[in-house]
Amino acid sequence: MKIRANVKVNGIVQGVGFRPFIHKQISDHSLLGWIRNTSEGAEIDIEGEESRVLLFEEELWTKAPALAVIESVKVEKPLPLKNYTEFEIIKSKALDERNTLISPDVCICKDCLEELFDQSNRRYRYPFINCTNCGPRFTIIKDVPYDRPKTTMADFPMCPPCDAEYHEITDRRYHAQPTCCPDCGPRLLYYGADGSAVPGDPVLNAQETLKNGGIVAIKGLGGMHLACLADDPEIALRLRRRKQRDEKPFAVMCRDIDAARKYCNVSAEEEKILCGIRRPIVLLRKKERDGLLHLSENQYLGVMLPYTPVHYLLMDGVFDALIMTSANLSDLPIMYRNHEALRELSGIADGFLLNNRDIH
């Protein structure tokens, strides 16, 4: 028997490849209707054989994308048939009540990382590379539903190749709101200690400053952080004095898991957590030798691995470990605006690796 059902899904279902997933399930079960994002999550209206509709409802829980988190599914059925002739993704709907979740930032995905270092790829060494497998970028979102006009990417109209990927449902960049490339997207900027623009490759400029013992302010996904060499006690002390951070330990970013093992003991469980998509700071027991003992008297060291394209580019083939700490004076909030960093971090940072995409 053919029935119609309206399904409302609440949770993390925007910016994580949920609509392409639904499209595949709909095709597999020969259903028709539509899906749209709303301020409360996703809404799906479908028609088909009752047994197939029931199986579709079950698979919402069991086969959803890895980054999706389904908190509730509300199904209204049976409803009067509308005799749909196709399945389509329709325009998002903004509701008075906003009750949807957005995924926190996660690490760049394996596919994008491969493209980042593929010289034949049009996004080779492009620091804003991403797709739905990388998840949304939480701090570009101004409002929900999570659509590009409601993000800080609205200032960067897509070029034809990016637009084609964005609208191709089989592409992993389908409706990935931060989709862009060197021709149409944000770009990195590098400034010297005096706040003046420095010509050349911003990443190479930042690496040079770091290699020469300087401190670099880096604009990350959610704010500014300060970086410097981790294995030089004098540089670490200079950062402490400038940042007015006398005792609190510094965290370290290691290039990869092998570099982390150079300084710390890493168990199998700790490696799994370090290399996971959330990329947390993990407390590892220092080695007696080469354990960056000068960073604190604690027997543990806070270690993280790169998680953004900028981090991978910065560390690539140059540094085993860098101190990474929030760019703020002691007890003050983290900075996230370019002009604020250039003004407030003057005298602390010797260089600024920034970009022209706003953090909201």
Side-chain angles (χ1 to χ4, degrees):
M1 182 179 71
K2 186 177 180 181
I3 67 167
R4 174 176 162 238
N6 184 267
V7 184
K8 292 183 173 69
V9 186
N10 184 253
I12 299 177
V13 293
Q14 297 184 18
V16 293
F18 191 74
R19 285 179 292 179
F21 154 72
I22 292 295
H23 186 272
K24 182 181 184 305
Q25 301 308 106
I26 290 291
S27 299
D28 289 348
H29 300 308
S30 302
L31 302 174
L32 301 172
W34 50 260
I35 182 176
R36 66 183 173 192
N37 281 343
T38 73
S39 305
E40 295 184 337
E43 182 181 5
I44 310 154
D45 205 81
I46 50 173
E47 289 180 346
E49 290 299 317
E50 184 174 17
S51 61
R52 293 179 179 271
V53 171
L54 290 173
L55 185 57
F56 169 81
E57 293 171 21
E58 178 184 327
E59 290 178 349
L60 285 175
W61 294 98
T62 60
K63 293 187 177 181
L67 294 180
V69 177
I70 295 178
E71 294 206 331
S72 68
V73 177
K74 297 178 182 178
V75 182
E76 187 180 358
K77 66 180 181 184
L79 297 171
L81 294 177
K82 290 197 171 182
N83 296 312
Y84 293 121
T85 60
E86 61 180 350
F87 183 79
E88 58 183 335
I89 297 173
I90 65 174
K91 185 178 180 180
S92 299
K93 183 178 182 180
L95 305 173
D96 291 338
E97 184 176 352
R98 288 162 170 74
N99 189 32
T100 193
L101 301 175
I102 298 296
S103 170
D105 293 310
V106 297
C107 178
I108 177 178
C109 76
K110 180 176 178 291
D111 291 332
C112 283
L113 188 57
E114 289 179 357
E115 291 177 353
L116 182 67
F117 291 105
D118 179 359
Q119 295 186 32
S120 65
N121 192 279
R122 71 189 187 91
R123 292 185 175 90
Y124 173 61
R125 293 185 63 84
Y126 182 58
F128 299 93
I129 189 171
N130 93 300
C131 71
T132 51
N133 296 334
C134 303
R137 290 293 169 245
F138 187 83
T139 52
I140 70 170
I141 300 169
K142 294 182 176 181
D143 200 356
V144 291
Y146 176 51
D147 293 320
R148 193 175 180 110
K150 296 183 179 181
T151 73
T152 60
M153 287 298 298
D155 296 333
F156 302 96
M158 283 181 281
C159 65
C162 284
D163 187 68
E165 292 170 330
Y166 181 85
H167 286 97
E168 173 51 59
I169 197 163
T170 61
D171 195 287
R172 74 177 200 276
R173 292 188 170 92
Y174 176 77
H175 278 227
Q177 307 306 336
T179 294
C180 58
C181 73
D183 292 333
C184 64
R187 59 189 179 91
L188 289 181
L189 311 161
Y190 193 76
Y191 298 90
D194 62 355
S196 60
V198 178
D201 185 309
V203 172
L204 296 181
N205 288 335
Q207 288 176 334
E208 195 64 26
T209 301
L210 292 167
K211 284 189 289 186
N212 290 330
I215 297 167
V216 175
I218 301 169
K219 186 176 183 179
L221 291 176
M224 308 288 173
H225 45 282
L226 295 168
C228 67
L229 296 177
D231 54 4
D232 189 319
E234 291 186 8
I235 296 173
L237 181 59
R238 188 185 312 143
L239 177 58
R240 285 194 182 281
R241 287 172 175 167
R242 292 184 184 181
K243 197 171 183 286
Q244 301 173 27
R245 182 169 172 167
D246 296 330
E247 295 180 354
K248 191 176 179 181
F250 285 129
V252 169
M253 178 176 284
C254 290
R255 185 179 67 241
D256 52 29
I257 194 66
D258 291 332
R261 288 196 182 96
K262 176 180 175 182
Y263 303 109
C264 300
N265 297 304
V266 185
S267 69
E269 183 180 4
E270 289 164 340
E271 178 179 350
K272 182 178 179 181
I273 297 171
L274 272 171
C275 298
I277 61 172
R278 291 173 177 81
R279 283 298 198 269
I281 297 174
V282 180
L283 291 177
L284 303 177
R285 185 177 290 274
K286 297 174 187 173
K287 289 184 176 178
E288 291 185 5
R289 296 182 61 187
D290 297 324
L292 300 179
L293 299 177
H294 62 278
L295 293 182
S296 78
E297 296 180 0
N298 196 302
Q299 61 182 333
Y300 289 92
L301 182 66
V303 176
M304 61 185 133
L305 299 185
Y307 54 92
T308 71
V310 170
H311 291 141
Y312 277 100
L313 292 171
L314 192 64
M315 304 289 288
D316 182 46
V318 180
F319 307 110
D320 280 339
L322 292 172
I323 291 175
M324 289 281 183
T325 185
S326 57
N328 61 316
L329 295 176
S330 185
D331 299 325
L332 293 178
I334 190 170
M335 298 172 195
Y336 64 96
R337 297 184 179 95
N338 289 1
H339 70 273
E340 179 184 42
L342 290 169
R343 182 184 69 243
E344 300 297 330
L345 296 176
S346 176
I348 297 177
D350 301 303
F352 299 82
L353 184 59
L354 309 178
N355 64 67
N356 64 336
R357 182 174 73 182
D358 287 343
I359 293 171
H360 180 69

